[in-house]
Amino acid sequence: MQRRKAIKNTSLLIGGLLAVPGLGILTGFSSNPHDHHHARSVLVKPAGDIPFAPKALSSAQNECLIAATERLIPTTDTPGAKEARVNEYIDRLLAQWMKEDEKNRFLAGLEGLDRRAQTKYQKSFEALQESEQDELLQFYAQSATAGNSEEGRFFRELKALTLEGYYTSEIGATQELQYSASHGTYVADAPLSQIGRAWA
């Protein structure tokens, strides 16, 4: 995926996030898991440097997710999805925000991706060469444009969550995008060619 194209596609996604009740998740806060679809949820800031332990993903699913998101937004001249810890963002959504059927559907899609890797290459997805991972993801991407198959639906969701997680992370907002806490006049229609990168 071309990074510049991802930025263009993400502008709509990020705009849509403003209406999401679980917006606190994007900022590192978590909601009361028993009240996660209501505006009155109590936000709790997690403690600082606690090592990540997946709450919804198994260890194998987490490794598969890290590999898949890194292929969607790989490290180039800026850090990729792995360094931005997009897997942790998605795990938080799965555990604290998604409904049970949404979570199970996403996890089934992730299992399906790994199962397809095992069938074709006799290896887990994360153990494949990057070219092999790209080949499988390309199949999923084609399925997403061809119809409403389970593979296509999963790929669309994986891609959307990866973009959301990346461009709302500190790395995505400050290294991939430009960021300024106070950057003066707001010019909504400034040509991208004049400013170089989109602003966070």
Side-chain angles (χ1 to χ4, degrees):
M1 173 185 296
Q2 296 297 317
R3 187 67 52 86
R4 191 170 298 278
K5 185 177 179 182
I7 292 172
K8 288 176 63 178
N9 293 342
T10 304
S11 60
L12 290 175
L13 282 173
I14 291 177
L17 288 175
L18 297 177
V20 175
L23 185 61
I25 289 172
L26 307 180
T27 59
F29 287 81
S30 60
S31 302
N32 179 341
H34 302 295
D35 193 24
H36 53 265
H37 285 287
H38 298 86
R40 294 181 180 176
S41 296
V42 177
L43 299 180
V44 180
K45 180 72 174 176
D49 297 323
I50 299 174
F52 173 65
K55 290 185 170 61
L57 299 163
S58 67
S59 295
Q61 290 168 340
N62 186 48
E63 292 303 317
C64 181
L65 183 60
I66 290 172
T69 56
E70 178 66 14
R71 293 315 302 151
L72 293 177
I73 304 183
T75 298
T76 55
D77 58 329
T78 54
K82 181 177 181 180
E83 195 168 339
R85 296 162 34 184
V86 170
N87 63 305
E88 296 182 23
Y89 164 82
I90 294 176
D91 180 71
R92 200 175 303 133
L93 283 180
L94 291 168
Q96 300 178 359
W97 191 76
M98 285 187 180
K99 295 177 182 175
E100 195 68 16
D101 61 328
E102 295 171 334
K103 179 182 78 172
N104 292 337
R105 191 176 58 204
F106 183 85
L107 294 177
L110 200 57
E111 292 283 349
L113 177 63
D114 194 58
R115 192 164 49 250
R116 190 172 288 274
Q118 295 279 4
T119 300
K120 186 163 186 176
Y121 298 105
Q122 293 76 53
K123 294 179 183 176
S124 61
F125 183 81
E126 67 271 17
L128 299 180
Q129 299 292 320
E130 290 181 353
S131 59
E132 295 169 336
Q133 292 174 338
D134 289 349
E135 182 180 334
L136 285 180
L137 288 175
Q138 185 63 34
F139 166 78
Y140 275 70
Q142 290 170 351
S143 298
T145 59
N148 199 28
S149 65
E150 285 299 310
E151 290 85 0
R153 179 208 48 75
F154 169 70
F155 183 80
R156 285 192 294 271
E157 192 166 12
L158 174 66
K159 183 179 174 183
L161 293 176
T162 300
L163 290 172
E164 290 171 8
Y166 185 78
Y167 286 105
T168 54
S169 72
E170 182 176 349
I171 283 176
T174 62
Q175 297 186 45
E176 172 61 22
L177 301 175
Q178 298 185 79
Y179 174 78
S180 173
S182 178
H183 54 81
T185 305
Y186 174 67
V187 182
D189 61 348
L192 187 60
S193 59
Q194 291 181 11
I195 59 177
R197 291 174 182 266
W199 290 91

mmCIF file of all heavy atoms in Angstrom, residues 4-49:
data_model
loop_
_atom_site.group_PDB
_atom_site.id
_atom_site.type_symbol
_atom_site.label_atom_id
_atom_site.label_comp_id
_atom_site.label_asym_id
_atom_site.label_seq_id
_atom_site.Cartn_x
_atom_site.Cartn_y
_atom_site.Cartn_z
ATOM 1 N N ARG A 4 0.966 7.471 0.898
ATOM 2 C CA ARG A 4 0.192 8.675 0.593
ATOM 3 C C ARG A 4 -1.273 8.332 0.332
ATOM 4 O O ARG A 4 -2.177 9.052 0.723
ATOM 5 C CB ARG A 4 0.811 9.380 -0.616
ATOM 6 C CG ARG A 4 0.256 10.781 -0.864
ATOM 7 C CD ARG A 4 1.082 11.487 -1.911
ATOM 8 N NE ARG A 4 2.448 11.670 -1.509
ATOM 9 C CZ ARG A 4 2.865 12.672 -0.723
ATOM 10 N NH1 ARG A 4 2.003 13.541 -0.269
ATOM 11 N NH2 ARG A 4 4.122 12.770 -0.385
ATOM 12 N N LYS A 5 -1.510 7.168 -0.337
ATOM 13 C CA LYS A 5 -2.878 6.741 -0.591
ATOM 14 C C LYS A 5 -3.584 6.421 0.715
ATOM 15 O O LYS A 5 -4.758 6.727 0.892
ATOM 16 C CB LYS A 5 -2.871 5.522 -1.515
ATOM 17 C CG LYS A 5 -4.254 5.069 -1.940
ATOM 18 C CD LYS A 5 -4.157 3.905 -2.907
ATOM 19 C CE LYS A 5 -5.543 3.432 -3.316
ATOM 20 N NZ LYS A 5 -5.458 2.268 -4.235
ATOM 21 N N ALA A 6 -2.851 5.816 1.642
ATOM 22 C CA ALA A 6 -3.446 5.494 2.939
ATOM 23 C C ALA A 6 -3.883 6.748 3.665
ATOM 24 O O ALA A 6 -4.925 6.784 4.307
ATOM 25 C CB ALA A 6 -2.447 4.718 3.787
ATOM 26 N N ILE A 7 -3.075 7.808 3.549
ATOM 27 C CA ILE A 7 -3.438 9.067 4.207
ATOM 28 C C ILE A 7 -4.739 9.593 3.643
ATOM 29 O O ILE A 7 -5.632 10.018 4.377
ATOM 30 C CB ILE A 7 -2.319 10.109 4.023
ATOM 31 C CG1 ILE A 7 -1.074 9.671 4.796
ATOM 32 C CG2 ILE A 7 -2.770 11.476 4.500
ATOM 33 C CD1 ILE A 7 0.129 10.529 4.533
ATOM 34 N N LYS A 8 -4.867 9.555 2.321
ATOM 35 C CA LYS A 8 -6.087 10.055 1.702
ATOM 36 C C LYS A 8 -7.301 9.258 2.162
ATOM 37 O O LYS A 8 -8.339 9.807 2.511
ATOM 38 C CB LYS A 8 -5.967 9.996 0.179
ATOM 39 C CG LYS A 8 -5.011 11.024 -0.400
ATOM 40 C CD LYS A 8 -4.846 10.857 -1.882
ATOM 41 C CE LYS A 8 -6.142 11.088 -2.625
ATOM 42 N NZ LYS A 8 -5.959 10.974 -4.086
ATOM 43 N N ASN A 9 -7.146 7.931 2.179
ATOM 44 C CA ASN A 9 -8.267 7.085 2.580
ATOM 45 C C ASN A 9 -8.625 7.287 4.044
ATOM 46 O O ASN A 9 -9.773 7.131 4.449
ATOM 47 C CB ASN A 9 -7.928 5.612 2.332
ATOM 48 C CG ASN A 9 -7.807 5.299 0.869
ATOM 49 O OD1 ASN A 9 -8.281 6.053 0.037
ATOM 50 N ND2 ASN A 9 -7.151 4.202 0.549
ATOM 51 N N THR A 10 -7.634 7.632 4.855
ATOM 52 C CA THR A 10 -7.853 7.721 6.290
ATOM 53 C C THR A 10 -8.586 8.972 6.706
ATOM 54 O O THR A 10 -9.243 8.989 7.740
ATOM 55 C CB THR A 10 -6.498 7.669 7.016
ATOM 56 O OG1 THR A 10 -5.837 6.487 6.619
ATOM 57 C CG2 THR A 10 -6.696 7.636 8.513
ATOM 58 N N SER A 11 -8.521 10.014 5.910
ATOM 59 C CA SER A 11 -9.164 11.251 6.316
ATOM 60 C C SER A 11 -10.652 11.033 6.576
ATOM 61 O O SER A 11 -11.208 11.568 7.528
ATOM 62 C CB SER A 11 -8.954 12.333 5.252
ATOM 63 O OG SER A 11 -9.509 11.922 4.023
ATOM 64 N N LEU A 12 -11.301 10.228 5.763
ATOM 65 C CA LEU A 12 -12.718 9.942 5.967
ATOM 66 C C LEU A 12 -12.924 9.090 7.206
ATOM 67 O O LEU A 12 -13.850 9.302 7.979
ATOM 68 C CB LEU A 12 -13.293 9.237 4.732
ATOM 69 C CG LEU A 12 -13.414 10.101 3.482
ATOM 70 C CD1 LEU A 12 -13.875 9.254 2.314
ATOM 71 C CD2 LEU A 12 -14.380 11.247 3.711
ATOM 72 N N LEU A 13 -12.036 8.113 7.393
ATOM 73 C CA LEU A 13 -12.169 7.234 8.545
ATOM 74 C C LEU A 13 -12.062 8.007 9.841
ATOM 75 O O LEU A 13 -12.857 7.863 10.751
ATOM 76 C CB LEU A 13 -11.064 6.159 8.524
ATOM 77 C CG LEU A 13 -11.262 5.002 7.572
ATOM 78 C CD1 LEU A 13 -10.015 4.151 7.548
ATOM 79 C CD2 LEU A 13 -12.448 4.185 8.019
ATOM 80 N N ILE A 14 -11.052 8.875 9.927
ATOM 81 C CA ILE A 14 -10.836 9.614 11.165
ATOM 82 C C ILE A 14 -11.990 10.560 11.413
ATOM 83 O O ILE A 14 -12.438 10.737 12.542
ATOM 84 C CB ILE A 14 -9.496 10.357 11.105
ATOM 85 C CG1 ILE A 14 -8.357 9.337 11.142
ATOM 86 C CG2 ILE A 14 -9.363 11.340 12.265
ATOM 87 C CD1 ILE A 14 -6.983 9.927 11.014
ATOM 88 N N GLY A 15 -12.526 11.143 10.362
ATOM 89 C CA GLY A 15 -13.688 12.000 10.534
ATOM 90 C C GLY A 15 -14.842 11.243 11.135
ATOM 91 O O GLY A 15 -15.539 11.736 12.014
ATOM 92 N N GLY A 16 -15.042 10.011 10.688
ATOM 93 C CA GLY A 16 -16.134 9.208 11.199
ATOM 94 C C GLY A 16 -15.959 8.808 12.643
ATOM 95 O O GLY A 16 -16.916 8.576 13.360
ATOM 96 N N LEU A 17 -14.696 8.777 13.090
ATOM 97 C CA LEU A 17 -14.442 8.342 14.458
ATOM 98 C C LEU A 17 -14.978 9.316 15.485
ATOM 99 O O LEU A 17 -15.246 8.960 16.615
ATOM 100 C CB LEU A 17 -12.929 8.187 14.680
ATOM 101 C CG LEU A 17 -12.294 7.009 13.986
ATOM 102 C CD1 LEU A 17 -10.792 7.059 14.189
ATOM 103 C CD2 LEU A 17 -12.857 5.722 14.518
ATOM 104 N N LEU A 18 -15.138 10.576 15.100
ATOM 105 C CA LEU A 18 -15.598 11.571 16.058
ATOM 106 C C LEU A 18 -16.975 11.242 16.593
ATOM 107 O O LEU A 18 -17.350 11.696 17.656
ATOM 108 C CB LEU A 18 -15.590 12.959 15.394
ATOM 109 C CG LEU A 18 -14.212 13.439 14.967
ATOM 110 C CD1 LEU A 18 -14.332 14.769 14.262
ATOM 111 C CD2 LEU A 18 -13.267 13.539 16.154
ATOM 112 N N ALA A 19 -17.735 10.441 15.844
ATOM 113 C CA ALA A 19 -19.091 10.111 16.284
ATOM 114 C C ALA A 19 -19.150 8.778 17.016
ATOM 115 O O ALA A 19 -20.202 8.352 17.421
ATOM 116 C CB ALA A 19 -20.026 10.070 15.076
ATOM 117 N N VAL A 20 -18.001 8.117 17.199
ATOM 118 C CA VAL A 20 -17.991 6.806 17.823
ATOM 119 C C VAL A 20 -18.024 6.945 19.338
ATOM 120 O O VAL A 20 -17.199 7.642 19.915
ATOM 121 C CB VAL A 20 -16.731 6.021 17.402
ATOM 122 C CG1 VAL A 20 -16.651 4.699 18.161
ATOM 123 C CG2 VAL A 20 -16.769 5.767 15.901
ATOM 124 N N PRO A 21 -18.991 6.307 20.019
ATOM 125 C CA PRO A 21 -19.075 6.422 21.470
ATOM 126 C C PRO A 21 -17.816 5.949 22.187
ATOM 127 O O PRO A 21 -17.506 6.412 23.250
ATOM 128 C CB PRO A 21 -20.274 5.531 21.835
ATOM 129 C CG PRO A 21 -21.052 5.390 20.581
ATOM 130 C CD PRO A 21 -20.061 5.499 19.465
ATOM 131 N N GLY A 22 -17.089 4.999 21.609
ATOM 132 C CA GLY A 22 -15.904 4.467 22.266
ATOM 133 C C GLY A 22 -14.660 5.249 21.972
ATOM 134 O O GLY A 22 -13.570 4.716 22.029
ATOM 135 N N LEU A 23 -14.772 6.552 21.680
ATOM 136 C CA LEU A 23 -13.624 7.359 21.296
ATOM 137 C C LEU A 23 -12.544 7.353 22.358
ATOM 138 O O LEU A 23 -11.371 7.485 22.053
ATOM 139 C CB LEU A 23 -14.071 8.799 21.010
ATOM 140 C CG LEU A 23 -13.011 9.756 20.490
ATOM 141 C CD1 LEU A 23 -12.484 9.236 19.152
ATOM 142 C CD2 LEU A 23 -13.569 11.151 20.324
ATOM 143 N N GLY A 24 -12.920 7.180 23.607
ATOM 144 C CA GLY A 24 -11.926 7.165 24.671
ATOM 145 C C GLY A 24 -10.884 6.093 24.466
ATOM 146 O O GLY A 24 -9.732 6.250 24.868
ATOM 147 N N ILE A 25 -11.229 5.030 23.813
ATOM 148 C CA ILE A 25 -10.286 3.950 23.547
ATOM 149 C C ILE A 25 -9.137 4.449 22.701
ATOM 150 O O ILE A 25 -7.994 4.046 22.877
ATOM 151 C CB ILE A 25 -11.010 2.777 22.852
ATOM 152 C CG1 ILE A 25 -11.934 2.103 23.853
ATOM 153 C CG2 ILE A 25 -10.045 1.791 22.273
ATOM 154 C CD1 ILE A 25 -12.828 1.063 23.252
ATOM 155 N N LEU A 26 -9.414 5.375 21.792
ATOM 156 C CA LEU A 26 -8.383 5.877 20.900
ATOM 157 C C LEU A 26 -7.343 6.679 21.641
ATOM 158 O O LEU A 26 -6.225 6.842 21.178
ATOM 159 C CB LEU A 26 -9.016 6.731 19.798
ATOM 160 C CG LEU A 26 -10.132 6.088 19.012
ATOM 161 C CD1 LEU A 26 -10.641 7.054 17.959
ATOM 162 C CD2 LEU A 26 -9.644 4.808 18.354
ATOM 163 N N THR A 27 -7.685 7.227 22.761
ATOM 164 C CA THR A 27 -6.760 8.072 23.483
ATOM 165 C C THR A 27 -6.060 7.342 24.610
ATOM 166 O O THR A 27 -5.372 7.941 25.407
ATOM 167 C CB THR A 27 -7.508 9.287 24.061
ATOM 168 O OG1 THR A 27 -8.534 8.809 24.936
ATOM 169 C CG2 THR A 27 -8.123 10.135 22.974
ATOM 170 N N GLY A 28 -6.244 6.029 24.678
ATOM 171 C CA GLY A 28 -5.565 5.259 25.698
ATOM 172 C C GLY A 28 -6.391 5.041 26.943
ATOM 173 O O GLY A 28 -5.946 4.422 27.882
ATOM 174 N N PHE A 29 -7.593 5.567 26.956
ATOM 175 C CA PHE A 29 -8.479 5.328 28.078
ATOM 176 C C PHE A 29 -9.326 4.102 27.778
ATOM 177 O O PHE A 29 -9.573 3.777 26.628
ATOM 178 C CB PHE A 29 -9.399 6.534 28.312
ATOM 179 C CG PHE A 29 -8.707 7.706 28.905
ATOM 180 C CD1 PHE A 29 -7.978 8.571 28.113
ATOM 181 C CD2 PHE A 29 -8.761 7.930 30.265
ATOM 182 C CE1 PHE A 29 -7.336 9.662 28.666
ATOM 183 C CE2 PHE A 29 -8.127 9.011 30.832
ATOM 184 C CZ PHE A 29 -7.406 9.883 30.034
ATOM 185 N N SER A 30 -9.786 3.456 28.800
ATOM 186 C CA SER A 30 -10.680 2.320 28.602
ATOM 187 C C SER A 30 -11.986 2.587 29.318
ATOM 188 O O SER A 30 -12.043 3.344 30.285
ATOM 189 C CB SER A 30 -10.044 1.036 29.144
ATOM 190 O OG SER A 30 -9.785 1.170 30.526
ATOM 191 N N SER A 31 -13.029 1.948 28.829
ATOM 192 C CA SER A 31 -14.350 2.140 29.406
ATOM 193 C C SER A 31 -14.698 0.977 30.308
ATOM 194 O O SER A 31 -14.115 -0.095 30.232
ATOM 195 C CB SER A 31 -15.394 2.235 28.285
ATOM 196 O OG SER A 31 -15.096 3.268 27.412
ATOM 197 N N ASN A 32 -15.672 1.211 31.150
ATOM 198 C CA ASN A 32 -16.224 0.141 31.946
ATOM 199 C C ASN A 32 -16.724 -0.941 30.991
ATOM 200 O O ASN A 32 -17.616 -0.685 30.200
ATOM 201 C CB ASN A 32 -17.372 0.701 32.788
ATOM 202 C CG ASN A 32 -18.027 -0.367 33.632
ATOM 203 O OD1 ASN A 32 -17.879 -1.558 33.365
ATOM 204 N ND2 ASN A 32 -18.736 0.074 34.653
ATOM 205 N N PRO A 33 -16.175 -2.158 31.039
ATOM 206 C CA PRO A 33 -16.561 -3.174 30.056
ATOM 207 C C PRO A 33 -18.018 -3.573 30.132
ATOM 208 O O PRO A 33 -18.553 -4.137 29.197
ATOM 209 C CB PRO A 33 -15.643 -4.359 30.413
ATOM 210 C CG PRO A 33 -15.238 -4.133 31.833
ATOM 211 C CD PRO A 33 -15.187 -2.642 32.010
ATOM 212 N N HIS A 34 -18.682 -3.273 31.236
ATOM 213 C CA HIS A 34 -20.088 -3.630 31.355
ATOM 214 C C HIS A 34 -21.006 -2.514 30.864
ATOM 215 O O HIS A 34 -22.204 -2.643 30.888
ATOM 216 C CB HIS A 34 -20.413 -3.974 32.808
ATOM 217 C CG HIS A 34 -19.570 -5.087 33.330
ATOM 218 N ND1 HIS A 34 -19.628 -6.362 32.835
ATOM 219 C CD2 HIS A 34 -18.599 -5.099 34.274
ATOM 220 C CE1 HIS A 34 -18.752 -7.131 33.467
ATOM 221 N NE2 HIS A 34 -18.105 -6.385 34.331
ATOM 222 N N ASP A 35 -20.413 -1.414 30.424
ATOM 223 C CA ASP A 35 -21.211 -0.280 29.983
ATOM 224 C C ASP A 35 -20.558 0.372 28.766
ATOM 225 O O ASP A 35 -20.564 1.573 28.615
ATOM 226 C CB ASP A 35 -21.316 0.746 31.126
ATOM 227 C CG ASP A 35 -22.390 1.785 30.830
ATOM 228 O OD1 ASP A 35 -23.308 1.482 30.042
ATOM 229 O OD2 ASP A 35 -22.286 2.890 31.372
ATOM 230 N N HIS A 36 -19.985 -0.436 27.879
ATOM 231 C CA HIS A 36 -19.123 0.107 26.843
ATOM 232 C C HIS A 36 -19.863 0.703 25.657
ATOM 233 O O HIS A 36 -19.238 1.265 24.781
ATOM 234 C CB HIS A 36 -18.134 -0.942 26.361
ATOM 235 C CG HIS A 36 -18.778 -2.224 25.929
ATOM 236 N ND1 HIS A 36 -18.904 -3.279 26.794
ATOM 237 C CD2 HIS A 36 -19.323 -2.609 24.769
ATOM 238 C CE1 HIS A 36 -19.491 -4.280 26.167
ATOM 239 N NE2 HIS A 36 -19.763 -3.916 24.948
ATOM 240 N N HIS A 37 -21.158 0.619 25.609
ATOM 241 C CA HIS A 37 -21.878 1.217 24.490
ATOM 242 C C HIS A 37 -22.698 2.423 24.940
ATOM 243 O O HIS A 37 -23.567 2.882 24.229
ATOM 244 C CB HIS A 37 -22.784 0.193 23.814
ATOM 245 C CG HIS A 37 -22.012 -0.767 22.980
ATOM 246 N ND1 HIS A 37 -21.441 -0.422 21.783
ATOM 247 C CD2 HIS A 37 -21.664 -2.054 23.203
ATOM 248 C CE1 HIS A 37 -20.804 -1.454 21.266
ATOM 249 N NE2 HIS A 37 -20.924 -2.452 22.117
ATOM 250 N N HIS A 38 -22.378 2.934 26.115
ATOM 251 C CA HIS A 38 -23.147 4.059 26.619
ATOM 252 C C HIS A 38 -22.235 5.240 26.897
ATOM 253 O O HIS A 38 -21.108 5.103 27.320
ATOM 254 C CB HIS A 38 -23.891 3.673 27.903
ATOM 255 C CG HIS A 38 -24.877 2.572 27.671
ATOM 256 N ND1 HIS A 38 -24.535 1.237 27.723
ATOM 257 C CD2 HIS A 38 -26.176 2.602 27.352
ATOM 258 C CE1 HIS A 38 -25.602 0.487 27.460
ATOM 259 N NE2 HIS A 38 -26.613 1.298 27.226
ATOM 260 N N ALA A 39 -22.778 6.425 26.662
ATOM 261 C CA ALA A 39 -21.984 7.651 26.799
ATOM 262 C C ALA A 39 -21.536 7.877 28.237
ATOM 263 O O ALA A 39 -20.579 8.593 28.479
ATOM 264 C CB ALA A 39 -22.795 8.841 26.321
ATOM 265 N N ARG A 40 -22.198 7.254 29.216
ATOM 266 C CA ARG A 40 -21.854 7.500 30.615
ATOM 267 C C ARG A 40 -20.755 6.572 31.113
ATOM 268 O O ARG A 40 -20.473 6.524 32.304
ATOM 269 C CB ARG A 40 -23.089 7.354 31.486
ATOM 270 C CG ARG A 40 -24.132 8.444 31.195
ATOM 271 C CD ARG A 40 -25.327 8.292 32.100
ATOM 272 N NE ARG A 40 -26.315 9.321 31.827
ATOM 273 C CZ ARG A 40 -27.486 9.374 32.425
ATOM 274 N NH1 ARG A 40 -27.832 8.472 33.306
ATOM 275 N NH2 ARG A 40 -28.333 10.345 32.129
ATOM 276 N N SER A 41 -20.142 5.812 30.213
ATOM 277 C CA SER A 41 -19.081 4.911 30.640
ATOM 278 C C SER A 41 -17.998 5.694 31.376
ATOM 279 O O SER A 41 -17.663 6.804 31.026
ATOM 280 C CB SER A 41 -18.442 4.226 29.425
ATOM 281 O OG SER A 41 -19.392 3.425 28.782
ATOM 282 N N VAL A 42 -17.441 5.080 32.407
ATOM 283 C CA VAL A 42 -16.383 5.718 33.179
ATOM 284 C C VAL A 42 -15.049 5.405 32.519
ATOM 285 O O VAL A 42 -14.699 4.245 32.323
ATOM 286 C CB VAL A 42 -16.387 5.193 34.631
ATOM 287 C CG1 VAL A 42 -15.239 5.812 35.405
ATOM 288 C CG2 VAL A 42 -17.720 5.509 35.284
ATOM 289 N N LEU A 43 -14.301 6.444 32.175
ATOM 290 C CA LEU A 43 -13.010 6.252 31.538
ATOM 291 C C LEU A 43 -11.934 6.073 32.588
ATOM 292 O O LEU A 43 -11.846 6.817 33.544
ATOM 293 C CB LEU A 43 -12.685 7.453 30.651
ATOM 294 C CG LEU A 43 -13.688 7.696 29.518
ATOM 295 C CD1 LEU A 43 -13.272 8.909 28.708
ATOM 296 C CD2 LEU A 43 -13.787 6.477 28.618
ATOM 297 N N VAL A 44 -11.114 5.063 32.374
ATOM 298 C CA VAL A 44 -10.045 4.757 33.323
ATOM 299 C C VAL A 44 -8.731 4.746 32.567
ATOM 300 O O VAL A 44 -8.535 3.965 31.647
ATOM 301 C CB VAL A 44 -10.270 3.372 33.979
ATOM 302 C CG1 VAL A 44 -9.147 3.082 34.947
ATOM 303 C CG2 VAL A 44 -11.629 3.339 34.663
ATOM 304 N N LYS A 45 -7.807 5.611 32.943
ATOM 305 C CA LYS A 45 -6.501 5.670 32.297
ATOM 306 C C LYS A 45 -5.668 4.510 32.778
ATOM 307 O O LYS A 45 -5.449 4.329 33.975
ATOM 308 C CB LYS A 45 -5.809 6.990 32.654
ATOM 309 C CG LYS A 45 -4.437 7.170 32.036
ATOM 310 C CD LYS A 45 -4.519 7.425 30.549
ATOM 311 C CE LYS A 45 -3.148 7.757 29.978
ATOM 312 N NZ LYS A 45 -3.209 7.902 28.518
ATOM 313 N N PRO A 46 -5.145 3.654 31.834
ATOM 314 C CA PRO A 46 -4.321 2.528 32.257
ATOM 315 C C PRO A 46 -3.002 2.999 32.840
ATOM 316 O O PRO A 46 -2.500 4.060 32.492
ATOM 317 C CB PRO A 46 -4.107 1.745 30.956
ATOM 318 C CG PRO A 46 -4.340 2.734 29.868
ATOM 319 C CD PRO A 46 -5.327 3.728 30.395
ATOM 320 N N ALA A 47 -2.428 2.193 33.716
ATOM 321 C CA ALA A 47 -1.131 2.537 34.309
ATOM 322 C C ALA A 47 -0.057 2.528 33.236
ATOM 323 O O ALA A 47 -0.159 1.839 32.227
ATOM 324 C CB ALA A 47 -0.808 1.534 35.404
ATOM 325 N N GLY A 48 1.003 3.298 33.471
ATOM 326 C CA GLY A 48 2.056 3.593 32.496
ATOM 327 C C GLY A 48 2.712 2.453 31.783
ATOM 328 O O GLY A 48 2.264 2.036 30.740
ATOM 329 N N ASP A 49 3.788 1.902 32.283
ATOM 330 C CA ASP A 49 4.656 1.017 31.519
ATOM 331 C C ASP A 49 4.382 -0.455 31.799
ATOM 332 O O ASP A 49 5.301 -1.253 31.981
ATOM 333 C CB ASP A 49 6.120 1.348 31.812
ATOM 334 C CG ASP A 49 6.448 2.764 31.372
ATOM 335 O OD1 ASP A 49 5.928 3.191 30.326
ATOM 336 O OD2 ASP A 49 7.215 3.433 32.082
#
